[in-house]
Amino acid sequence: MLTSSVLELLASPTMDYSDAELARQPVGYWTGLAHETVIRHIHQTHGTLGVTQRHWMTLNALVRHEGGLTRAEVTDYLRQYLTPQIGEVATYPAVLDDLLDKGWIAVGAGGRLTLTEAGVDGRARLADLTAGIRGRLHDGVSEADYATAVRVLRRIIGNAGGPVTLP
């Protein structure tokens, strides 16, 4: 849920900048603030189930890899998505241990981690929460505007020498 101060800012007249004024604003500031705010919102929402975004990412990684992944493979696979706001790679063992303690994943042959029935159920609950997060974040933003925003960000990232495709 957006904080009241963010909602007030969005609704306030100070947001009525001209295109020329907006074009001079620093993209690094706005992309950084967007990342920080969105990740905090995701963590708060996922926290209602006692997990973080990294738990969600882990469950999804295991679903995508038939036969599961080892601890090292999970960490290596998810490393590309981690930022300081999402979490440091060095703390990943704690996420895996927590999922094991919850009974959402199990260790199988060769140390491969897979989802348990409880993990499938937990992932389904997280999927519902995540759909709600997406809905709240996209509220008042048309699909076309969202697509344009992503295209513009990808172009800026490419212009700065970064990757323009998802990992």
Side-chain angles (χ1 to χ4, degrees), residues 31-82:
T31 56
L33 182 60
H35 180 71
E36 228 175 83
T37 304
V38 167
I39 297 305
R40 183 175 43 252
H41 178 69
I42 291 169
H43 282 313
Q44 288 170 344
T45 305
H46 285 173
T48 63
L49 291 180
V51 297
T52 67
Q53 184 180 19
R54 292 182 301 161
H55 291 78
W56 169 242
M57 293 164 63
T58 301
L59 297 171
N60 287 328
L62 294 174
V63 165
R64 287 186 194 112
H65 292 88
E66 191 173 325
L69 296 168
T70 65
R71 283 176 167 267
E73 289 169 339
V74 169
T75 303
D76 286 343
Y77 177 74
L78 293 175
R79 179 184 315 271
Q80 61 196 332
Y81 300 103
L82 296 179

Side-chain angles (χ1 to χ4, degrees), residues 63-137:
V63 165
R64 287 186 194 112
H65 292 88
E66 191 173 325
L69 296 168
T70 65
R71 283 176 167 267
E73 289 169 339
V74 169
T75 303
D76 286 343
Y77 177 74
L78 293 175
R79 179 184 315 271
Q80 61 196 332
Y81 300 103
L82 296 179
T83 66
Q85 290 79 21
I86 295 171
E88 298 296 330
V89 171
T91 65
Y92 232 86
V95 172
L96 297 173
D97 290 342
D98 188 49
L99 287 169
L100 285 164
D101 290 346
K102 288 180 182 309
W104 288 19
I105 63 174
V107 181
R112 303 196 81 67
L113 302 168
T114 57
L115 268 67
T116 63
E117 191 174 316
V120 170
D121 291 343
R123 184 176 176 275
R125 289 193 315 267
L126 279 166
D128 288 342
L129 280 179
T130 302
I133 291 167
R134 182 177 177 80
R136 281 187 298 283
L137 295 177

